[in-house]
Amino acid sequence: MQTLDAAAHLAVSDPASAIDSLPWLARALADDRAAGCFAAWGRSTVIDENVGAAVVPRGVFDELHERAGLAAEWPIGNAGVLHVYGYLLSTTPTPYGLKRDRWLSGELERACRLETGALLPWAPPKTLLSRATAAASTLLARADAVTEEFGGRTARIALGAPLPDGSAALAYAVDGRIVTMFPVADPGGVRAGLGAPRLRWNAV
């Protein structure tokens, strides 16, 4: 964890060295690029809707997309690059804590009914993106997922079965491509607060 913290702070001034300081991250980006894994993910803005600011610096945005082999024009990029790997290098505080917490705290993997450590970024043998893609796809396949249609777009919001404490995992996709996934403390409140169909959770 200290190594990840150090890399996140280094990334502000030297994103290439920061990524190289985390061999599992550099390797994951290369492996996901070779396997075409980023194609399962849609588009997202790096400007977070809760804080109104970028959650990773421009240099990190550019370096991650270059290593992923993807063209992106700031501030809009690949949601897998940003929500999975970019969040690991984010030091921007939000009302829900650091963005990386979803991959480190264990809450999301528990909500997905996965084994302990199943979504840790460095857990072998598969990349975090491939594991996150599988978990999100399972959620999005639920029969009770909500489908929204608006402006020629189709979005899907899926909430897993609640844990005993009431929390659940949420996955979101637009036009058949994953945008994000995270744990929610009050899934009933999420459903009740959806309102009119629109793009959500930084999707574009």
Side-chain angles (χ1 to χ4, degrees):
M1 203 73 73
Q2 289 180 333
T3 303
L4 183 57
D5 285 339
H9 286 92
L10 175 61
V12 175
S13 59
D14 191 348
S17 294
I19 294 169
D20 288 336
S21 74
L22 302 169
W24 52 266
L25 176 55
R27 186 167 54 249
L29 286 161
D31 289 350
D32 289 333
R33 174 178 180 169
C37 293
F38 294 105
W41 291 72
R43 298 197 311 158
S44 173
T45 176
V46 74
I47 308 299
D48 183 69
E49 60 189 22
N50 288 303
V51 299
V55 294
V56 296
R58 175 69 180 269
V60 174
F61 177 99
D62 290 340
E63 183 69 21
L64 287 172
H65 280 93
E66 181 177 345
R67 294 194 185 217
L70 300 172
E73 187 171 342
W74 174 272
I76 296 171
N78 179 271
V81 169
L82 297 175
H83 290 237
V84 178
Y85 296 130
Y87 283 0
L88 295 176
L89 297 175
S90 175
T91 60
T92 302
T94 77
Y96 306 100
L98 292 176
K99 291 288 193 177
R100 75 182 76 160
D101 289 347
R102 71 189 61 184
W103 307 119
L104 302 176
S105 69
E107 290 182 52
L108 182 56
E109 60 197 30
R110 287 192 295 273
C112 290
R113 302 319 203 262
L114 299 174
E115 294 181 1
T116 300
L119 291 178
L120 281 176
W122 46 82
K126 297 181 179 180
T127 68
L128 174 57
L129 187 80
S130 63
R131 287 176 275 134
T133 301
S137 297
T138 297
L139 286 170
L140 291 163
R142 289 178 60 94
D144 60 354
V146 175
T147 298
E148 297 184 324
E149 295 186 0
F150 51 96
R153 312 289 299 273
T154 301
R156 194 162 173 84
I157 303 163
L159 287 156
L163 294 172
D165 66 2
S167 64
L170 181 149
Y172 181 58
V174 176
D175 297 332
R177 293 187 175 184
I178 303 163
V179 173
T180 193
M181 67 181 304
F182 51 88
V184 294
D186 180 14
V190 171
R191 288 192 184 92
L194 288 178
R198 61 178 177 82
L199 289 174
R200 306 176 191 278
W201 299 300
N202 303 320
V204 294

